[in-house]
């Protein structure tokens, strides 16, 4: 498909609209690529041996910003009852876009009445080493920059369930 595609494990970028030949190890199959589209938002959590093994207090949000806005809608409920039918859920939209060299990450207002264990998002903005980060227009502390397999990255923690506009300049 059109667009820019990123090998999730290696960080290699590919232009869409073409066929790419990738050699694989037929014995182990450990090198099968997973491609993500530039502009994606991926949310993950730590490994568990079974669902609910430990409280989920932090979600990792990997942002691959592009000029096309992307949105991820996080949803949670108790996972055991039908209370979600009465609105006992937690929801929050996470959006990101690249505008003129500035990455903007928006956290929507929370929805629902369910109170999850989730306390914070660990946001990793790939492809951008920010010189300044603001939250709702005010400079914040507690963020850092570095390098990962995708190149420059800015990492910050923010409270879950709270609406916010984050700008990385």
């Amino acid at each position: 498909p059109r667009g820019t595609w990123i090998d999730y494990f290696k960080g290699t970028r590919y232009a869409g609209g073409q066929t790419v030949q990738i050699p694989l190890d037929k014995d182990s199959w450990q090198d099968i690529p997973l491609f993500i589209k530039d502009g994606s938002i991926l949310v993950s959590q730590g490994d568990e041996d079974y669902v609910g093994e430990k409280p989920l207090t932090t979600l990792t949000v990997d942002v691959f910003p592009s000029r096309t806005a992307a949105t991820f809608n996080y949803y949670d409920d108790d996972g055991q009852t039908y209370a979600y039918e009465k609105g006992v859920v937690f929801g929050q939209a996470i959006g990101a876009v690249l505008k003129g060299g500035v990455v903007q990450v928006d956290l929507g207002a929370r929805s629902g009445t369910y109170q999850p264990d989730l306390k914070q998002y660990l946001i990793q903005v790939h492809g951008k080493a920010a010189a300044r980060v603001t939250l709702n227009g005010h400079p914040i502390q507690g963020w850092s920059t570095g390098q990962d397999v995708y190149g420059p990255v800015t990492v910050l923690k923010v409270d879950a369930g709270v609406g916010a506009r984050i700008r990385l300049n």
Side-chain angles (χ1 to χ4, degrees), residues 84-99:
Y84 67 89
E85 292 177 346
K86 295 180 177 128
V88 184
V89 300
F90 172 87
Q92 186 167 27
I94 302 170
V97 67
L98 175 63
K99 295 180 183 177

Side-chain angles (χ1 to χ4, degrees), residues 116-158:
D117 292 325
L118 182 65
K119 302 294 181 230
Q120 58 194 355
Y121 298 117
L122 176 66
I123 300 176
Q124 301 179 134
V125 179
H126 302 283
K128 179 75 171 174
R132 181 173 187 241
V133 178
T134 60
L135 176 70
N136 297 330
H138 303 287
I140 63 169
Q141 297 181 359
W143 58 275
S144 65
T145 61
Q147 292 280 324
D148 64 13
V149 68
Y150 312 108
V153 62
T154 301
V155 180
L156 62 142
K157 282 186 180 180
V158 295

Side-chain angles (χ1 to χ4, degrees), residues 13 19 54 57 115:
R13 291 179 169 267
T19 299
K54 50 192 164 199
T57 58
Q115 186 59 49

Side-chain angles (χ1 to χ4, degrees), residues 42-92:
L42 301 177
V43 178
S44 61
Q45 68 182 67
D47 294 336
E48 290 185 339
D49 289 330
Y50 56 89
V51 174
E53 177 184 7
K54 50 192 164 199
L56 175 60
T57 58
T58 302
L59 277 177
T60 300
V61 179
D62 286 295
V63 177
F64 298 87
S66 74
R67 291 182 301 236
T68 302
T71 303
F72 178 89
N73 292 309
Y74 179 71
Y75 171 91
D76 198 2
D77 62 39
D78 69 19
Q80 299 175 9
T81 70
Y82 290 100
Y84 67 89
E85 292 177 346
K86 295 180 177 128
V88 184
V89 300
F90 172 87
Q92 186 167 27

